[in-house]
């Protein structure tokens, strides 16, 4: 009898779980469909609407009916807010988005004023008193230069729009024509879908001194929601065609104009984790000139941005204006990039695994540290929601770091591989992990080479790679809190790893892990990329936490 009760309970629980899952899927599909429909109906106005909820720090009011917004929509580009679909349709016919000014001539280019919903700590350009805040839809903010004025002061404000502190960085809407990516014949004077338009033609604005636009590449999936917020933050401050969403647009199509307009000086910012940065750099390397790149850290790792002084982790609400000024003032530094060729062994004329070629900026490693990442990556793939929780990530990292099962395969690594540095065979001590390092930082803030003697200095543009080893995952943990140093193996212009016998070993490069079956791995210099290092005197532009 008891068994039956259990079975019934189990059936009931399964039914409830299944129903909730189905409802959840339908809700998601419905939200996607709804968003698509509203952005189709309002496409002529240029707005790109995203759903919003009530904001606890600031009360928002609908631009249509002036009511308090509990939930509704906000335009990513001009931050216009509405509380329902009727107000959205009505307002779209009355107020155009900031990107929809392509027909404006620069002689008559005016501020793009949006009424209300202004932060409470801003000062009026005319009377210099506090502006914004308060109850109801009042006061104005320009969605290009971000200046604010009181409703009563607005008629007295006669200065035309010069894009304010973002003047050097913004691509003025009167200087650019955009088109749909892919089809070149389908030119559009009015941007129909700003979120996927790419730059077609650009003219250098004659009225702006030292003009140097910044293209921004963002992965909205990086950094547990911070990426999404950051993407909207950039769209609100820049011309939306300057902002590339890696999930919705093709990076090389979005950057193609750079090769077609060699007269335009340009800089690039990549916001994302190590993987996003690596694949975006691969696209940037194919451009015919060297464009300096800054990186903004989202996700885990972030040793590259640590070294280049952009911080170790940043949120989505950073001060975009300050960040853009920092990028304009940053120094250019050359960084080597490397090619990893993993060649699988042939057995009876058949390859055990397909060959793998990838580029590397930070490091490539074999053994115990890759074990930790690989264990985490496999678990992540089985529970995709784990990706969105930073805490769970930390927990997984910690758990897998101490698990014997992942470590056992790395025991006696030195006996199962042959290492050649510049064609010289190296005798390895008893180790469990071998790391080839390009930049000074590794493993979330460790500086492995700093402890080594001065005659073997680490430079990042000398086409030389630093090789060090670790004896266990415990050794890595000790290094992270400064209690141990790595075993320095040597430096090389090129390196070769030969896997002996039939052993497979976990490997990783810039946070991406894989299992390498027997064969050889070649590490050779690929190119030099221009990166931007934040100037020392400035304070940190990133909200740092953790
Ligand atoms: Zn808009
Ligand atoms: Zn309304
Ligand atoms: Zn303005
Ligand atoms: Zn005023």
């Amino acid at each position: 009898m008891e068994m039956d009760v259990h079975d019934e309970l189990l059936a009931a629980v399964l039914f409830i779980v299944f129903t909730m899952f189905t409802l959840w899927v339908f809700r998601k599909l419905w939200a996607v469909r709804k968003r698509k429909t509203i952005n189709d109906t309002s496409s002529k106005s240029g707005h790109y609407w995203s759903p919003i909820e009530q904001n606890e720090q600031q009360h928002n009011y609908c631009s249509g009916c002036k009511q308090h917004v509990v939930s509704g929509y906000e335009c990513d580009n001009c931050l216009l807010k509405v509380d329902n679909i009727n107000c959205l349709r009505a307002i779209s016919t009355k107020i155009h988005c900031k990107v929809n000014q392509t027909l404006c001539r620069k002689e008559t280019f005016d501020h793009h004023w949006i009424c209300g919903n202004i932060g409470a700590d801003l000062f009026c350009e005319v009377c210099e008193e506090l502006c914004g805040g308060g109850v109801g839809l009042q006061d104005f903010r320009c969605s290009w230069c971000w200046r604010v004025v009181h409703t009563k002061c607005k008629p007295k404000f006669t200065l035309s729009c010069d894009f304010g502190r973002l003047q050097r960085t913004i691509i003025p809407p009167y200087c650019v024509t955009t088109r749909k990516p892919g089809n070149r014949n389908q030119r559009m004077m009015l941007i129909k879908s700003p979120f996927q338009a790419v730059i077609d033609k650009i003219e250098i604005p004659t009225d702006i001194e030292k003009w140097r636009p910044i293209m921004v590449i963002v992965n909205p999936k990086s950094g547990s929601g911070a990426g999404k917020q950051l993407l909207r933050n950039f769209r609100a401050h820049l011309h939306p065609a300057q902002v590339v969403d890696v999930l919705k647009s093709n990076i090389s199509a979005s950057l193609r104009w750079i090769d077609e307009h060699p007269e335009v000086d340009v800089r690039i910012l990549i916001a994302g984790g190590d993987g996003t940065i690596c694949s975006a750099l691969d696209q940037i390397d194919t451009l015919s000139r060297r464009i300096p790149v800054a990186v903004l850290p989202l996700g885990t790792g972030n040793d590259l941005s640590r070294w280049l002084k952009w911080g170790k982790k940043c949120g989505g609400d950073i001060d975009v204006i300050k960040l853009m000024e920092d990028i304009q003032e940053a120094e250019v530094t050359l960084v080597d990039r490397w090619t990893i060729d993993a060649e699988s062994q042939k057995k009876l004329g058949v390859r055990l695994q397909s060959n793998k070629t990838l580029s590397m900026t930070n490091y490539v490693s074999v053994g115990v540290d890759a074990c930790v990442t690989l264990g985490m990556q496999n678990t992540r793939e089985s529970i995709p929601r784990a990706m969105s929780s930073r805490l769970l990530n930390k927990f997984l990292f910690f758990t897998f770091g101490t698990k014997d099962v992942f470590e056992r395969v790395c025991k006696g690594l030195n006996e199962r591989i042959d290492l050649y540095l510049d064609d010289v065979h190296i005798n390895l001590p008893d180790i469990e992990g071998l790391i080839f390092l390009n930049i000074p930082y590794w493993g979330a803030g460790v500086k492995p080479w700093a402890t080594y003697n001065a005659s073997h200095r680490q430079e990042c543009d000398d086409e030389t790679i630093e090789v060090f080893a670790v004896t266990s995952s415990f050794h890595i943990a000790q290094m992270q809190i400064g209690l141990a140093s790595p075993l320095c193996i040597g430096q090389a212009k090129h390196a070769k790893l030969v896997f002996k016998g039939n052993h497979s070993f976990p490997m990783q490069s810039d946070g991406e892990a894989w299992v390498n079956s027997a064969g050889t791995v070649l590490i050779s210099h690929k190119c030099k990329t221009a990166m931007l290092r934040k100037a020392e005197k400035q304070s940190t532009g990133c909200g740092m936490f953790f």
Side-chain angles (χ1 to χ4, degrees), residues 124 126-128 149-150 152-153:
C124 172
V126 179
C127 66
E128 293 173 8
V149 288
H150 288 112
K152 63 174 168 34
C153 299

Side-chain angles (χ1 to χ4, degrees), residues 110-113 142-147 160-163:
D110 206 353
H111 298 278
H112 188 260
W113 297 114
C142 171
S143 32
W144 287 113
C145 65
W146 285 67
R147 287 191 176 93
S160 65
C161 190
D162 61 355
F163 303 99

Side-chain angles (χ1 to χ4, degrees), residues 98-354:
K98 68 172 184 182
V99 285
N100 212 323
Q101 299 204 343
T102 30
L103 294 174
C104 285
R105 296 182 58 77
K106 70 178 171 215
E107 293 78 29
T108 60
F109 190 76
D110 206 353
H111 298 278
H112 188 260
W113 297 114
I114 295 290
C115 185
N117 304 318
I118 299 163
D121 52 350
L122 298 164
F123 293 91
C124 172
E125 286 290 323
V126 179
C127 66
E128 293 173 8
E129 298 285 322
L130 267 175
C131 196
V135 179
L137 201 69
Q138 56 179 1
D139 304 338
F140 290 83
R141 198 201 64 234
C142 171
S143 32
W144 287 113
C145 65
W146 285 67
R147 287 191 176 93
V148 293
V149 288
H150 288 112
T151 308
K152 63 174 168 34
C153 299
K154 192 168 164 260
K156 286 182 230 158
F157 190 65
T158 49
L159 224 68
S160 65
C161 190
D162 61 355
F163 303 99
R165 284 165 68 192
L166 288 168
Q167 190 182 44
R168 289 184 68 191
T169 303
I170 283 181
I171 298 178
Y174 52 76
C175 290
V176 65
T177 357
T178 56
R179 61 178 169 85
K180 271 187 182 164
N183 191 351
R184 294 219 68 163
N185 300 325
Q186 234 180 337
R187 299 241 165 110
M188 299 184 301
M189 278 307 281
L190 293 173
I191 302 164
K192 279 200 177 139
S193 42
F195 58 100
Q196 55 177 8
V198 298
I199 294 170
D200 187 34
K201 282 216 163 100
I202 230 170
E203 260 172 56
I204 294 182
T206 48
D207 51 337
I208 300 174
E209 245 179 86
K210 294 200 277 182
W211 182 65
R212 181 165 59 194
I214 295 172
M215 289 295 286
V216 181
I217 299 167
V218 188
N219 184 350
K221 272 200 168 164
S222 298
S224 342
K228 212 175 198 176
Q229 196 187 354
L230 201 58
L231 184 72
R232 291 171 69 173
N233 203 352
F234 283 129
R235 281 189 183 134
H237 282 86
L238 305 171
H239 192 298
Q242 281 175 268
V243 185
V244 183
D245 173 350
V246 297
L247 300 182
K248 289 214 172 109
S249 359
N250 178 311
I251 298 176
S252 71
S254 307
L255 298 182
R256 195 169 297 144
W257 70 270
I258 294 178
D259 269 348
E260 288 161 4
H261 292 272
E263 73 282 7
V264 180
D265 192 6
V266 57
R267 291 188 161 185
I268 296 176
L269 169 69
I270 310 169
D274 287 345
T276 309
I277 293 170
C278 193
S279 61
L281 284 177
D282 278 348
Q283 303 287 336
I284 293 165
D285 281 341
T286 63
L287 293 172
S288 61
R289 54 189 167 129
R290 218 177 246 163
I291 307 294
V293 180
V295 290
L296 200 62
L298 295 172
T300 50
N302 305 324
D303 287 308
L304 185 64
S305 59
R306 245 175 248 256
W307 170 54
L308 295 168
K309 309 254 185 263
W310 298 106
K312 52 184 174 181
K313 182 156 280 182
C314 90
D317 57 348
I318 53 158
D319 184 345
V320 170
I321 298 179
K322 174 81 173 64
L323 174 70
M324 291 298 150
E325 285 175 344
D326 285 348
I327 294 173
Q328 292 288 10
E329 279 163 33
E331 307 152 5
V332 178
T333 175
L334 289 180
V335 180
D336 292 322
R337 296 193 76 224
W338 299 77
T339 303
I340 316 295
D341 280 302
E343 209 170 285
S344 175
Q345 201 182 37
K346 268 187 181 170
K347 265 216 171 133
L348 304 168
V350 181
R351 276 195 201 289
L352 298 172
Q353 198 178 18
S354 60

